[in-house]
Amino acid sequence: MADDREVRRGLARHLGLSGRLFLLTVAFVALTEVLIYVPTVANYRRMWLSDRIAAAQVAALVLDAAPDQHVSERLEQRLLSGVGARAIAVRGNGTRRLLAIETVPETVADSIDLRSEDWIRSIGGSARTLFAKADAPIRVIGHGRDGFDLVEILLDEEPLREAMIAFSVRLLLTSLAIAAGVAGLVFLVLQCAIVRPVGRLVHNITAFADNPEAIDRVIVPSRRTDEIGQAEIALARMETALARELREKRHLAGLGLSVSKINHELRNLLTTAQLLGDRLDGVTDPVVQRVAPRLVATLDRAIRFCEETLAYGRATERHPLRRLVPLAPIVAEQADLSGRDRNSPIAIVERCAPDLKICVDPDQFSRALANIVRNAVQALATHTDSPTVTIEATRTGGPGAGRVTILVGDNGPGLPPRARTHLFSPFKGSTRPGGTGLGLAIASELIELNSGTVTLDDTPTGTRFRIVIPDQTA
């Protein structure tokens, strides 16, 4: 059985779609011809018997025209031979006449009344004639005319059977010829309309799979408007998008390798700077004492950020350690993390209650907020009309079941529609020349890790981001 299955599979692969389509077409046409054959043969049998009844009617007229309604034995035999019957009986004007040259048998194999026979009986009689050979003659009754009420003949069934078999053979040969012709035409039409276009799709998919980044492997849709044309358009869109995504992934992989090299050297430099910053603890200068803690904290955060850079390149940030922490210090340090020049006219306004607490990972949330504030500062770099960045935080709901909303807005020129479409997508949402668009993408990822959301508010002027962080529930 395993060998038989392998043979069938090999035959199916050898035939292909077009070959199987051709065989299916031949099979369906042949099945249609079989369904037509049954009533056709039944109708042929009925017509054959009707012809014999008509011939018997002519013989009865000859008998009726003879003197004393009597003919010679030779003429009677010729009349019966012309009809192909053993005996002919007619009834008209209340009399019954019989034309026979031998004794009429008492029993018959079948009695067929063409006056009342329906299609069901006709089909059943045809099957019996073809497959059940009768030893006795059959009786056939039909309508009479020209003064006769009915005509009845007694004949052997073998000539009828032979005629039906010959007709079946002719019908079979004709059906096979028609089936082959129709199947050939259908095959050619389907080959041109379906098989070849599908083969083109398969060839293109195979070629595209070998080199999915090559733009010349993308299929060019034809002008068809049917389902195959729609499939070509959808395939072209998918291949274009996939090729673009793969090229971006390859660029990101190269960027990740570069970042890993930079990260190694930068971490060493920051570690040295941290050691130098630790020596500032012994300096008594008030300015140094005020700046040194923030400098050391910033260096610590920079070192941790370098350590996590590779994790972001692998698209896997560490799991956040969420806890209730004061929000005011995180907001206050954004002025130092915003990247402003010392003499920058950009003002950063902070509105946060000292006792307001938020449930976040403080390091991750500080990075996210710094990215958003830094984007706002960069957007105001060319804005001269009192450039201001506002950070406002409020709480709604009770402890454990509330949420904290942070609004980061600016009074700059706002975002163009092109930037809004891919605002939080890396390498797509930047509006600044030379920008990568990673700032908001990183901020969005870090806020989502802390179970929060970041969205862009619809404001008449400027830009405002809304960050919502829910309390952590048990």
Side-chain angles (χ1 to χ4, degrees):
M1 292 184 65
D3 294 338
D4 293 340
R5 286 195 296 269
E6 290 297 328
V7 171
R8 287 196 296 269
R9 292 174 182 172
L11 182 61
R13 287 193 296 267
H14 181 70
L15 286 176
L17 178 61
S18 57
R20 282 178 280 182
L21 183 62
F22 177 77
L23 293 180
L24 283 176
T25 306
V26 172
F28 285 136
V29 174
L31 178 61
T32 304
E33 292 293 339
V34 169
L35 296 177
I36 296 175
Y37 167 78
V38 174
T40 302
V41 170
N43 184 65
Y44 176 81
R45 170 178 171 274
R46 185 181 182 87
M47 295 298 296
W48 193 91
L49 294 176
S50 297
D51 291 342
R52 297 303 177 274
I53 291 293
Q57 179 82 20
V58 174
L61 291 175
V62 174
L63 178 63
D64 187 58
D68 300 330
Q69 298 182 349
H70 180 74
V71 295
S72 63
E73 182 177 345
R74 182 179 179 184
L75 179 59
E76 183 176 355
Q77 186 175 4
R78 290 180 61 185
L79 290 174
L80 293 173
S81 298
V83 177
R86 290 189 180 186
I88 300 174
V90 294
R91 187 177 63 189
N93 299 325
T95 61
R96 186 173 183 273
R97 301 169 190 174
L98 178 65
L99 181 64
I101 58 174
E102 61 183 42
T103 304
V104 177
E106 296 181 358
T107 60
V108 294
D110 193 12
S111 181
I112 304 170
D113 191 348
L114 298 179
R115 299 173 301 174
S116 60
E117 188 180 48
D118 54 15
W119 281 106
I120 302 299
R121 293 181 181 178
S122 180
I123 293 174
S126 300
R128 187 195 59 77
T129 300
L130 286 173
F131 303 109
K133 188 175 181 179
D135 297 330
I138 60 175
R139 181 175 62 187
V140 183
I141 304 172
H143 287 286
R145 59 182 180 179
D146 297 331
F148 299 107
D149 297 332
L150 62 85
V151 179
E152 181 181 349
I153 59 175
L154 194 68
L155 49 79
D156 292 327
E157 196 177 29
E158 186 61 25
L160 173 61
R161 184 170 178 271
E162 293 176 355
M164 291 176 63
I165 292 175
F167 175 76
S168 299
V169 172
R170 294 194 301 271
L171 182 61
L172 175 62
L173 296 177
T174 304
S175 301
L176 290 178
I178 294 174
V182 172
L185 291 176
V186 173
F187 172 77
L188 291 177
V189 172
L190 295 181
Q191 182 78 10
C192 297
I194 296 179
V195 177
R196 287 183 182 176
V198 171
R200 177 172 175 260
L201 289 175
V202 173
H203 176 73
N204 174 263
I205 293 173
T206 304
F208 183 80
D210 294 336
N211 187 9
E213 294 186 24
I215 194 65
D216 58 341
R217 299 291 179 93
V218 176
I219 189 172
V220 179
S222 61
R223 297 182 179 179
R224 299 179 60 144
T225 58
D226 55 5
E227 287 78 2
I228 292 182
Q230 296 174 3
E232 291 175 345
I233 295 174
L235 180 61
R237 292 176 179 172
M238 182 191 69
E239 290 178 345
T240 302
L242 181 59
R244 182 172 60 251
E245 291 293 332
L246 289 176
R247 288 195 298 271
E248 291 181 357
K249 293 292 184 182
R250 180 164 53 84
H251 294 162
L252 286 175
L255 178 62
L257 179 61
S258 301
V259 167
S260 65
K261 296 178 180 178
I262 296 172
N263 173 71
H264 177 74
E265 300 299 329
L266 183 60
R267 184 172 54 185
N268 292 337
L269 294 175
L270 290 175
T271 302
T272 302
Q274 186 182 34
L275 294 175
L276 295 175
D278 291 340
R279 298 181 181 180
L280 296 177
D281 291 341
V283 179
T284 60
D285 190 302
V287 177
V288 174
Q289 291 296 321
R290 182 173 58 85
V291 175
R294 289 191 177 184
L295 176 60
V296 172
T298 301
L299 289 174
D300 288 339
R301 186 178 293 107
I303 292 173
R304 287 195 299 271
F305 175 73
C306 288
E307 293 173 349
E308 294 175 357
T309 299
L310 288 180
Y312 177 78
R314 296 192 302 267
T316 53
E317 285 279 354
R318 66 173 176 81
H319 187 74
L321 302 176
R322 297 184 64 192
R323 60 187 183 274
L324 279 175
V325 295
L327 180 58
I330 298 177
V331 173
E333 67 182 357
Q334 299 306 313
D336 296 328
L337 301 177
S338 63
R340 294 179 301 168
D341 295 333
R342 177 178 298 179
N343 300 322
S344 174
I346 302 174
I348 297 181
V349 178
E350 304 163 3
R351 298 171 184 167
C352 178
D355 59 345
L356 179 59
K357 291 188 177 183
I358 187 171
C359 185
V360 292
D361 183 309
D363 290 335
Q364 289 185 346
F365 187 73
S366 178
R367 287 171 52 195
L369 191 59
N371 277 303
I372 297 176
V373 172
R374 191 178 298 114
N375 269 24
V377 170
Q378 292 171 355
L380 296 174
T382 58
H383 193 64
T384 58
D385 187 13
S386 301
T388 305
V389 177
T390 303
I391 308 174
E392 182 178 358
T394 57
R395 166 177 283 279
T396 57
R403 60 183 59 192
V404 176
T405 301
I406 303 99
L407 300 178
V408 181
D410 62 66
N411 60 348
L415 290 174
R418 180 180 62 84
R420 294 172 182 265
T421 305
H422 303 286
L423 189 59
F424 300 105
S425 300
F427 306 105
K428 294 182 180 180
S430 177
T431 59
R432 181 171 51 88
T436 62
L438 282 173
L440 291 180
I442 295 174
S444 176
E445 180 182 6
L446 293 173
I447 291 172
E448 288 179 359
L449 283 174
N450 285 267
S451 302
T453 59
V454 55
T455 56
L456 178 66
D457 285 351
D458 189 9
T459 55
T461 58
T463 304
R464 186 174 68 190
F465 288 93
R466 180 180 297 269
I467 304 172
V468 178
I469 303 292
D471 291 341
Q472 189 173 19
T473 56

